[in-house]
Amino acid sequence: MTTPTYDVAVIGYGPTGATAANLLGQLGLKVLVVERDADVYGRARAISTDEEVMRIWQSVGLADRLQCDMLADRPLNFVDAGGVPFIDLKITSRGTGHPPQQFLYQPAVDDVLREGVQRFTGVDVLLEHECLRVLPGDDQVELMLADLHSDMFTRVRASYVIAADGGSSPTRGQLGIGYTGRTYSQRWVVIDTKVLKEWDGHDRLRFHCNPSRPTVDCPTPLGHHRWEYPARADEDERELLHDDAIWKILGNQGITGEHVEILRAVIYSHHVRVADRWRVGRVFLAGDAAHAMPPWIGQGMSAGVRDVANLCWKLAAVIKGLAPASLLDSYQAERKPHVIETTRRACMVGRIITERNRIIARLRNHAMRALARVPGAEAAAQKRMWVPDPRYAEGFLAGGHHRAVGWQIPQPWVKDGDGARIRLDDLLGGRWSLLHTGAAPAGAQAWTELGVPAVRVDEPSLLRWLHRKKASAVVLRPDGFIYAAAATGQSLPAPPAGFTWKIGVTA
């Protein structure tokens, strides 16, 4: 019998795996998705995302649909034991064409992403299947699958594998990859509720920085709301999950059965871990399989989506013969530093929220309130505490050390050839592109001869951004990150050496 063969096999069908399936399907690859569960996981885990992730989902035509089920631009408060804010801010946009922060209900997001995958005839999805074995070879990877419904076994092959199978990733274990870091000893209670009657402050994220019981109070869309708080060392898990214990905590915030219905309560621990390697030959780890971070700035799911956005266009380029396999070496080099910094910031915010020493907490509150009165302090706090800028310091980037190289370009609204108003990424279409602010720069011909379209920039906010970076011309990769740049009067770096493909073709 012929063994089914795919370009890419994706193990895991959460947001990371489903995003990968959409990206690869849109790029015309033959893809297999393997998922052990029969349906979308019913418990909401991720509760927020950001503008960069929405931009990724825009690239597969799903951002506007996903936006319908999200809460955008909600205030964010850090409040003291009396409920009085000492940090009060709204996350400001980086100019991506999407709201900078959004709250979500993960089962609804999963549904939309999976509906998106159904558009692509080249993507096969096997639910209720488990990948028992991954055997990397020189030219292909062999996977042994078990049908959990019928106990049948199937052997398939793929040119590459993306393992997005969670923090306990069996694939990572099979490959013998270490998962370095720590698990916090403190247990956290998570309460998901259905909103019956709105209350004052129901629509904002509040970190109750109360030394006696730190609590996260978070709105989620589609009529849901979540609370999270730590269990004390002397508290029994079974007792904490009883309705009486839950209502006692909620009652301290003025929430009663008139306001919400409890849907579910669970206990979990926070993890800070990073895989020692994100790649073994033709197998790549992504999402929680590659890294786990605490939830304080809502980046666990988002980091996985960023992973596959970085990886999938590169896989497609290599599989189609448009780029050498060495392109894939840049995946971990580009993504890991951003994950490490995001995790550091999440831990820092967690320390602010969970401080148990009352004297230190009072000093924290006083210092933060004083700092808030300083002009520009809010913007500075966001820059240092929240999601790091989308930038690669090393990886698949041109030399020359131009300050614009490695940054993801903003995405303003622009006009297309017919005068219609569209987002920049939709105009560029996920291709390599050359943007310039004046006459075509020296060195541009080497790029245009490879099929890279040259687009003159006249949108004011984009012109200002390029001016701040001292760039009059930039070459964008398919993911919107700047591969090469040049100042006025300078020549653009040449296309990457050893690449014999038509670089302007969509990956």
Side-chain angles (χ1 to χ4, degrees), residues 27 310 312-318 322-324 327 330 334 395-398 405-406 409 424-425 427-435 444 446-455 474-485 492-497 499 501-507:
L27 290 166
N310 179 287
C312 286
W313 72 268
K314 297 174 182 177
L315 285 173
V318 171
L322 304 176
L327 174 61
S330 63
E334 292 180 353
F396 181 58
L397 306 167
V405 170
I409 199 163
L424 177 64
D425 291 359
L427 176 70
L428 301 180
R431 298 173 298 172
W432 286 81
S433 301
L434 193 165
L435 307 185
W447 291 91
T448 56
E449 286 179 350
L450 291 174
V452 176
V455 179
V474 295
V475 176
L476 302 183
R477 309 185 326 183
D479 56 1
F481 284 82
I482 296 174
Y483 173 82
L492 273 172
F499 284 59
W501 37 279
K502 286 287 184 180
I503 199 171
V505 178
T506 302

Side-chain angles (χ1 to χ4, degrees), residues 211-444:
S212 65
R213 181 77 81 178
T215 304
V216 180
D217 171 4
C218 183
T220 49
L222 303 175
H224 295 86
H225 202 94
R226 173 183 285 189
W227 282 268
E228 303 183 15
Y229 48 87
R232 300 189 183 106
D234 60 345
E235 291 178 317
D236 182 84
E237 290 190 5
R238 292 168 296 180
E239 299 268 341
L240 284 169
L241 298 181
H242 285 169
D243 282 0
D244 288 346
I246 293 169
W247 284 120
K248 182 178 179 181
I249 299 296
L250 299 187
N252 290 337
Q253 297 185 23
I255 305 301
T256 70
E258 179 185 22
H259 298 103
V260 300
E261 173 191 346
I262 298 172
L263 297 178
R264 58 189 64 85
V266 296
I267 290 181
Y268 71 93
S269 298
H270 296 160
H271 306 276
V272 177
R273 296 183 181 276
V274 179
D276 297 341
R277 291 181 292 163
W278 294 19
R279 177 187 183 185
V280 173
R282 292 173 171 267
V283 181
F284 296 82
L285 304 181
D288 288 352
H291 44 75
M293 65 181 71
W296 303 115
I297 58 176
Q299 284 295 297
M301 178 199 72
S302 296
V305 173
R306 286 180 170 87
D307 290 345
V308 292
N310 179 287
L311 179 60
C312 286
W313 72 268
K314 297 174 182 177
L315 285 173
V318 171
I319 289 168
K320 293 180 180 182
L322 304 176
S326 59
L327 174 61
L328 302 175
D329 296 336
S330 63
Y331 168 55
Q332 180 174 337
E334 292 180 353
R335 282 293 303 136
K336 185 175 180 179
H338 191 273
V339 166
I340 296 296
E341 176 61 15
T342 303
T343 304
R344 186 191 70 80
R345 295 185 183 200
C347 292
M348 178 178 64
V349 171
R351 286 194 295 271
I352 293 173
I353 297 166
T354 61
E355 178 57 59
R356 293 302 188 98
N357 185 298
R358 293 182 182 277
I359 295 174
I360 295 175
R362 283 197 295 270
L363 292 172
R364 172 201 64 197
N365 301 348
H366 177 75
M368 291 294 184
R369 287 191 175 102
L371 187 62
R373 293 192 287 270
V374 177
E378 182 178 307
Q382 178 183 327
K383 187 171 182 63
R384 288 165 176 77
M385 291 170 57
W386 218 246
V387 185
D389 291 329
R391 183 194 178 201
Y392 299 139
E394 58 181 280
F396 181 58
L397 306 167
H401 306 291
H402 192 285
R403 63 191 298 178
V405 170
W407 285 87
Q408 187 180 44
I409 199 163
Q411 183 187 209
W413 289 83
V414 297
K415 291 183 178 180
D416 65 11
D418 299 323
R421 188 169 177 266
I422 63 172
R423 295 182 178 103
L424 177 64
D425 291 359
D426 294 334
L427 176 70
L428 301 180
R431 298 173 298 172
W432 286 81
S433 301
L434 193 165
L435 307 185
H436 58 95
T437 61

Side-chain angles (χ1 to χ4, degrees), residues 87-271:
I87 299 177
D88 186 359
L89 58 84
K90 249 188 176 183
I91 304 301
T92 56
S93 175
R94 291 174 172 146
T96 66
H98 295 282
Q101 184 187 36
Q102 307 210 67
F103 295 106
L104 57 87
Y105 185 63
Q106 186 177 331
V109 170
D110 287 336
D111 281 336
V112 173
L113 293 176
R114 292 186 181 193
E115 288 170 8
V117 171
Q118 294 173 13
R119 298 171 295 174
F120 306 112
T121 58
V123 180
D124 294 335
V125 178
L126 294 180
L127 301 177
E128 295 185 276
H129 280 70
E130 184 172 7
C131 183
L132 300 178
R133 193 72 179 160
V134 174
L135 298 171
D138 292 337
D139 301 318
Q140 287 183 320
V141 183
E142 187 174 279
L143 299 89
M144 178 64 73
L145 310 179
D147 185 331
L148 301 179
H149 185 68
S150 66
D151 292 331
M152 297 288 289
F153 296 92
T154 306
R155 191 187 305 271
V156 301
R157 295 190 178 98
S159 296
Y160 294 94
V161 171
I162 299 175
D165 48 351
S168 59
S169 172
T171 307
R172 188 185 64 237
Q174 290 176 35
L175 298 174
I177 299 174
Y179 203 41
T180 306
R182 60 174 293 198
T183 295
Y184 287 84
S185 58
Q186 194 165 55
R187 304 154 297 159
W188 279 74
V189 183
V190 180
I191 311 298
D192 284 317
T193 69
K194 178 182 178 181
V195 175
L196 304 177
K197 179 183 177 181
E198 295 178 351
W199 60 94
D200 184 36
H202 73 280
D203 61 345
R204 64 185 57 216
L205 172 62
R206 289 187 293 190
F207 295 117
H208 297 267
C209 305
N210 184 345
S212 65
R213 181 77 81 178
T215 304
V216 180
D217 171 4
C218 183
T220 49
L222 303 175
H224 295 86
H225 202 94
R226 173 183 285 189
W227 282 268
E228 303 183 15
Y229 48 87
R232 300 189 183 106
D234 60 345
E235 291 178 317
D236 182 84
E237 290 190 5
R238 292 168 296 180
E239 299 268 341
L240 284 169
L241 298 181
H242 285 169
D243 282 0
D244 288 346
I246 293 169
W247 284 120
K248 182 178 179 181
I249 299 296
L250 299 187
N252 290 337
Q253 297 185 23
I255 305 301
T256 70
E258 179 185 22
H259 298 103
V260 300
E261 173 191 346
I262 298 172
L263 297 178
R264 58 189 64 85
V266 296
I267 290 181
Y268 71 93
S269 298
H270 296 160
H271 306 276

